[in-house]
């Protein structure tokens, strides 16, 4: 609709088209696995929340933040960012080995969380069959200097393409480890608390989803966690099959699930704003 606010990204962005893909949920779980390998970052989460009791709430809050910043108005996105910055500014964590107390909004920690998330979204989407050229992948990474700004980072310091993102991960790798907090995240993701009646469903469905997210991690992450993964070609086939199955569910059905960010964006901007991968490159 003429004059309607397209938000921070808008329908012409890679972000707008890609974040409507159902594989983003598996990508989000991969991001949790990856983020947990930074001891200082994951400690900030574990010491400020009951992760096992509130992990689903945390996952949904992240999904809501991504949905709001992708498909909401500019004002809604800025409000969401201000809320996250305020919460982070009040939280600290303690290093059990040194006794050092530090803020969870340290730029280095915010950078790790951001890069692990963007890398996971992009990796899972492309590997599962969402078609992006290398130039579009670079554009996606550059677009998310906006989301980095919202959480308190200087956009100029944030990786803006695949080469810069790879260089960042190479630089930070010596700081990574699968400490006790990472083990707790791994245990939760494999065996989340479930009503006894639902345990068989958890073993059949959820465990496979979590294992697939884990398998899609880079080899160094598998080494740190100490759990092997299937051969890369096998993982790619599994991701493509999962993507095919999830994408066969009509988008209108998927988008009815809360919090309905995409439906609200289409109501605001008109049906032409409908996200779809075939619109990329037009």
């Amino acid at each position: 609709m003429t004059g309607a606010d397209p938000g921070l990204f808008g329908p012409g962005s890679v972000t707008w088209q890609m974040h409507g893909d159902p594989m983003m949920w598996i990508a989000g779980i991969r991001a949790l696995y990856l983020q947990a390998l930074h001891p200082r970052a994951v400690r900030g989460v574990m010491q400020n929340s009951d992760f096992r009791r509130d992990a689903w709430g945390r996952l949904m809050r992240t999904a809501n933040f991504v949905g709001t910043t992708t498909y909401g108005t500019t004002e809604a996105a800025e409000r969401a960012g201000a809320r996250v910055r305020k919460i982070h500014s009040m939280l600290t964590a303690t290093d059990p080995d040194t006794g050092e107390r530090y803020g969870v909004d340290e730029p280095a920690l915010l950078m790790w969380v951001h890069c692990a998330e963007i890398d996971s979204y992009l990796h899972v989407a492309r590997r599962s069959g969402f078609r992006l050229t290398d130039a579009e992948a670079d554009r996606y990474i550059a677009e998310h200097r906006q989301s980095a700004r919202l959480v308190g980072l200087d956009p100029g310091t944030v990786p803006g393409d695949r080469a810069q993102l790879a260089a960042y991960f190479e630089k930070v790798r010596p700081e990574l480890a699968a400490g006790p907090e990472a083990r707790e995240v791994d245990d939760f993701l494999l065996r989340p608390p479930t009503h006894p009646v639902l345990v068989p469903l958890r073993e059949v469905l959820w465990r496979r989803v979590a294992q697939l997210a884990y398998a899609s991690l880079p080899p160094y992450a598998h080494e740190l966690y100490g759990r092997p993964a299937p051969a890369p070609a096998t993982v790619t086939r599994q991701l493509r099959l999962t993507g095919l199955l999830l994408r066969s569910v009509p988008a209108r059905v998927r988008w009815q699930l809360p919090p309905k960010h995409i439906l609200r964006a289409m109501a605001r901007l008109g049906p032409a704003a409908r996200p779809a991968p075939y619109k990329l490159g037009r």
Side-chain angles (χ1 to χ4, degrees):
M1 296 181 183
T2 305
D5 178 12
L8 290 182
F9 297 101
S13 67
V14 178
T15 296
W16 187 281
Q17 310 305 336
M18 198 180 92
H19 282 186
D21 189 78
M23 289 298 286
M24 290 300 97
W25 286 101
I26 291 176
I29 299 168
R30 181 193 190 267
L32 287 177
Y33 269 120
L34 194 54
Q35 289 165 349
L37 289 175
H38 194 299
R40 287 172 70 88
V42 72
R43 200 176 290 132
V45 174
M46 305 300 270
Q47 292 185 12
N48 286 285
S49 65
D50 185 343
F51 180 83
R52 292 193 67 84
R53 188 168 296 177
D54 190 45
W56 297 122
R58 180 178 177 80
L59 194 60
M60 290 306 297
R61 286 192 295 274
T62 299
N64 187 51
F65 179 79
V66 172
T68 299
T69 56
T70 302
Y71 299 111
T73 63
T74 302
E75 182 186 1
E78 295 291 350
R79 276 202 315 266
R83 189 161 54 248
V84 167
R85 294 194 303 274
K86 181 178 179 181
I87 292 170
H88 285 172
S89 71
M90 297 186 292
L91 301 179
T92 60
T94 303
D95 186 321
D97 297 323
T98 65
E100 176 199 3
R101 195 154 190 83
Y102 58 91
V104 303
D105 60 352
E106 283 186 352
L109 304 187
L110 296 177
M111 182 75 81
W112 170 253
V113 171
H114 170 82
C115 290
E117 194 170 282
I118 296 309
D119 178 75
S120 292
Y121 292 165
L122 188 59
H123 180 88
V124 169
R126 297 187 87 185
R127 199 171 174 187
S128 66
F130 191 97
R131 294 185 180 179
L132 288 178
T133 66
D134 288 347
E136 288 166 343
D138 284 342
R139 206 169 105 211
Y140 174 76
I141 295 168
E143 286 171 0
H144 279 276
R145 284 176 160 167
Q146 282 274 30
S147 57
R149 175 185 63 79
L150 287 179
V151 299
L153 285 166
D154 174 358
T157 66
V158 177
D161 58 30
R162 287 169 302 126
Q164 291 177 10
L165 190 60
Y168 167 77
F169 280 112
E170 191 65 30
K171 178 183 175 183
V172 82
R173 270 182 62 177
E175 302 173 33
L176 306 182
E181 294 90 353
R183 302 290 177 189
E184 192 170 344
V185 171
D186 183 27
D187 181 65
F188 172 85
L189 290 173
L190 285 175
R191 289 172 291 273
T194 306
H195 190 283
V197 174
L198 298 177
V199 167
L201 182 63
R202 180 188 71 182
E203 296 303 307
V204 171
L205 184 59
W206 173 258
R207 196 175 179 90
R208 291 184 181 180
V209 169
Q211 287 174 335
L212 182 57
Y214 175 86
S216 70
L217 288 165
Y220 69 80
H222 299 145
E223 292 174 13
L224 290 173
Y225 275 112
R227 269 198 300 121
T234 300
V235 177
T236 299
R237 283 196 300 271
Q238 292 172 345
L239 284 167
R240 285 184 173 273
L241 177 59
T242 305
L244 186 65
L245 291 172
L246 290 179
R247 291 167 189 139
S248 69
V249 177
R252 283 282 185 175
V253 173
R254 289 189 272 108
W255 296 342
Q256 288 296 336
L257 295 172
K260 302 186 180 182
H261 292 296
I262 293 175
L263 292 180
R264 287 202 293 272
M266 289 169 62
R268 183 175 84 248
L269 298 171
R274 179 186 191 276
Y278 64 81
K279 293 184 176 181
L280 287 168
R282 279 186 168 186

